[in-house]
Amino acid sequence: MSANDGGTFDAGARPDFWPDFWPGFSPGDWYAIAADHDVIPGHIYRTTLGGHDLAVWRTRDGTVQIWRDRCPHRGVRLSLGEVAGDELRCQYHAWRFARGGACTYIPAQPAMKVPGTIHAEVWPAAEAGGLIWSGIDPQGAPPALPAGTVVRALPVARPAAVVAEALAETDWPGLALVVQPADAQSAIVRGVATDGDCLAADRLLRALRRRIEQNGPEQNGGERGA
Amino acid sequence: MQEWRTMTPDPILWNDWHPVAARCTLDPGRAHHTVLLHVPLVVTIDAAGTIIARRNDGAPLQQCERYGLVWVCLGTPVQPVLAIPEADEPDRPPVVVGAIGVRAAGPRVIENFLDLGHLGYVHAGYLGDDPQTRVLPYDVAPLPDAGVHGGLIATRCRMYQPKASPAATEGFLVDYFYKVERPLATCLYKDNPVHRDRFDVIYLFVQPVTEVTSIAHPLLLCLPDGTTPAALRAFQQIIFMQDKPILENQRPARLPLYDGAELPIGADRSSVAYRRWLAAIGLRWGVITATEAAGAPR
């Protein structure tokens, strides 16, 4: 049904399961998924990579944790939870998960030694160039971007492959840009301004977005050569 | 694979009764539009109080009224609207809490109602409190004298509750039992702070809108303890509003029925039994079956 055929709700159409890779998203690559400054102490930053919802937070010493945004117990988004010291506490049953993902405490059964099988799903994490990077099984080190100031992330309602293609068509003096494939229909452009002029970068990126989004979604890179 | 699918209607839900409106909220000046199992409906009441539910496409449906709620069956009812003996007790007229939209699959909403482990956190200060969060052992069994698909009963449930109901002036260890009588109909019986020999009864009926959107219709059959219907309603609305953000952030949205999808512990006995029962009776709506999961990419 469509959203408005007399119904109260938009049904939403997010798939339960995503393939591990599609155009613009490869399991062996690193992707920038946040800026360092997005993940401030005590905050859980939420983003999506390749259709996978991620929760990003830091332990007290500042180490970045990137976890699947889903409690293994009853599926609640961990980004709804709270950072408590070096642990993340799920909002539903207050299960606590430590650095590395292991569940340490289950309040409903406080005397129980928590089985080692109860674990948040941990994703690879790296910090480089003012950005936080992740991927399914990324090889080597994240791309080395030139020194600069991290620009404002720009979501684009087009597939990553389409966005990457558009980026490649133009020269971007003073900018080093990368594409975060969010889901099959959308991407986020991230990067650094080597001259520190974030306002100019933002203007250029917004113009790029307008141009890309003016083309209909039928030019869907996700459909090609899948 | 999608969160919701345009599919053959689930035969169990298609041939069962679901609440779609409450008489007390219908207005002769304004038709009530809603959706049941993807089917748009309109419910009207005239000045004489006659209620008519119709499908927008004009196809026939079955309609009746019980407990202050308007019930619809889109298919051929295999059984009547479920019987609530307590509704006939003269000192506890049914109180409709209201229709609460929730972007969650119906089975997720029912499972949350059965869940004891969240009371001390999600409902802290009301139905539980940290650090008294331990879920004491309880029993789950098939429900005797259930409807055509059977059901479940969870007994010996106990939870320390600071404010078990609007009339509670102090915390106490509350005795509970739960019944699941239909896939999307559940209830609990809990100690009343004044009448220690009888139980307050709280029903939760879930109107399935799409597979991942629902309308909750809680119904209260509470003993006279000085609480007004408005106060009873307000209390339950607070409780439900505490659950709503949890329900709307469960992924996958549909309740997984296959092994290994989610990791239960002993305190989740009710939830485990509910999932197994849904799998056993073959419910397909708002759930991810083992067959479907086996065909998924990951």
Side-chain angles (χ1 to χ4, degrees):
Chain A
M1 68 186 269
S2 70
N4 292 310
D5 54 359
T8 322
F9 303 104
D10 171 14
R14 291 182 56 78
D16 286 335
F17 303 93
W18 287 84
D20 274 353
F21 51 90
W22 27 270
F25 180 56
S26 312
D29 288 348
W30 286 100
Y31 296 98
I33 58 149
D36 275 347
H37 60 247
D38 287 330
V39 189
I40 56 175
H43 176 63
I44 308 171
Y45 181 84
R46 174 176 153 183
T47 191
T48 303
L49 177 62
H52 303 273
D53 291 327
L54 301 176
V56 188
W57 61 286
R58 291 184 197 272
T59 51
R60 271 182 296 214
D61 66 1
T63 311
V64 172
Q65 305 286 314
I66 303 176
W67 294 358
R68 184 178 182 188
D69 192 11
R70 175 170 190 269
C71 179
H73 177 218
R74 284 295 175 254
V76 172
R77 287 183 187 281
L78 288 173
S79 57
L80 211 63
E82 271 179 275
V83 175
D86 280 342
E87 297 184 316
L88 191 154
R89 190 167 58 201
C90 177
Q91 201 64 253
Y92 198 178
H93 299 94
W95 289 21
R96 291 188 214 156
F97 300 88
R99 168 202 299 255
C103 180
T104 55
Y105 184 63
I106 295 179
Q109 294 177 212
M112 180 179 74
K113 183 178 172 350
V114 180
T117 48
I118 301 185
H119 222 272
E121 185 182 305
V122 178
W123 280 53
E127 286 186 78
L131 295 164
I132 294 172
W133 304 76
S134 192
I136 299 250
D137 182 22
Q139 305 298 307
L145 301 186
T149 310
V150 173
V151 301
R152 182 161 71 168
L154 189 92
V156 183
R158 288 294 177 272
V162 171
V163 175
E165 208 169 288
L167 281 178
E169 284 166 2
T170 314
D171 280 337
W172 299 90
L175 286 175
L177 300 173
V178 289
V179 179
Q180 171 187 351
D183 57 29
Q185 284 84 37
S186 65
I188 301 170
V189 179
R190 298 181 184 275
V192 297
T194 52
D195 57 3
D197 191 348
C198 291
L199 277 176
D202 202 50
R203 262 196 310 275
L204 286 171
L205 287 174
R206 280 184 289 133
L208 170 80
R209 171 164 70 186
R210 242 188 336 271
R211 207 161 63 237
I212 300 175
E213 291 185 350
Q214 271 164 2
N215 295 327
E218 67 277 1
Q219 301 195 350
N220 186 333
E223 299 298 316
R224 287 183 217 159
Chain B
M1 181 165 345
Q2 293 179 326
E3 284 279 17
W4 60 274
R5 301 148 295 171
T6 307
M7 57 180 219
T8 321
D10 182 276
I12 295 178
L13 298 184
W14 190 258
N15 297 314
D16 203 350
W17 294 94
H18 306 279
V20 296
R23 169 176 283 275
C24 63
T25 61
L26 291 174
D27 174 354
R30 195 165 52 95
H32 171 68
H33 294 273
T34 189
V35 173
L36 175 63
L37 297 164
H38 289 162
V39 176
L41 307 174
V42 58
V43 185
T44 55
I45 187 168
D46 66 15
T50 306
I51 294 173
I52 297 174
R54 288 190 190 88
R55 287 175 62 143
N56 287 12
D57 63 9
L61 56 71
Q62 312 263 343
Q63 171 197 340
C64 70
E65 187 179 347
R66 294 296 302 273
Y67 322 122
L69 295 168
V70 181
W71 299 75
V72 162
C73 175
L74 295 171
T76 308
V78 294
Q79 55 191 337
V81 171
L82 67 83
I84 305 178
E86 291 80 8
D88 298 327
E89 296 174 10
D91 61 347
R92 55 160 101 194
V95 172
V96 167
V97 171
I100 307 169
V102 50
R103 289 173 175 270
R108 289 271 196 201
V109 182
I110 297 291
E111 183 181 83
N112 168 262
F113 186 87
L114 302 172
D115 185 279
L116 290 163
H118 77 295
L119 299 179
Y121 291 97
V122 177
H123 307 300
Y126 294 90
L127 305 183
D129 226 344
D130 199 357
Q132 284 153 303
T133 55
R134 183 171 169 231
V135 173
L136 299 165
Y138 60 96
D139 301 317
V140 182
L143 179 67
D145 308 317
V148 297
H149 301 293
L152 298 170
I153 182 163
T155 51
R156 283 203 312 127
C157 307
R158 281 161 297 158
M159 183 57 69
Y160 172 82
Q161 300 198 329
K163 193 163 180 61
S165 69
T169 52
E170 58 182 359
F172 65 109
L173 190 67
V174 183
D175 279 305
Y176 266 89
F177 64 97
Y178 291 88
K179 293 195 285 187
V180 180
E181 299 184 69
R182 305 273 167 98
L184 297 182
T186 183
C187 68
L188 63 82
Y189 290 69
K190 72 188 277 189
D191 280 340
N192 177 282
V194 176
H195 303 261
R196 292 300 183 105
D197 54 336
R198 292 168 74 196
F199 289 103
D200 285 332
V201 184
I202 300 177
Y203 266 88
L204 177 66
F205 303 110
V206 177
Q207 171 189 344
V209 175
T210 70
E211 283 205 83
V212 294
T213 53
S214 306
I215 299 173
H217 297 269
L219 179 76
L220 309 177
L221 299 129
C222 293
L223 297 162
D225 60 12
T227 312
T228 63
L232 284 174
R233 257 184 220 116
F235 185 84
Q236 289 305 321
Q237 284 170 357
I238 289 169
I239 299 299
F240 202 93
M241 289 309 135
Q242 292 172 334
D243 285 316
K244 191 172 145 84
I246 298 289
L247 290 167
E248 296 186 342
N249 282 286
Q250 281 180 288
R251 294 294 178 276
R254 288 185 281 137
L255 185 71
L257 299 186
Y258 55 99
D259 286 342
E262 294 179 351
L263 294 173
I265 55 166
D268 299 317
R269 194 173 288 249
S270 290
S271 141
V272 170
Y274 177 60
R275 293 181 187 204
R276 284 194 185 141
W277 175 65
L278 293 182
I281 65 176
L283 190 85
R284 301 202 310 256
W285 178 274
V287 298
I288 302 170
T289 62
T291 317
E292 187 186 353
R298 72 183 296 234

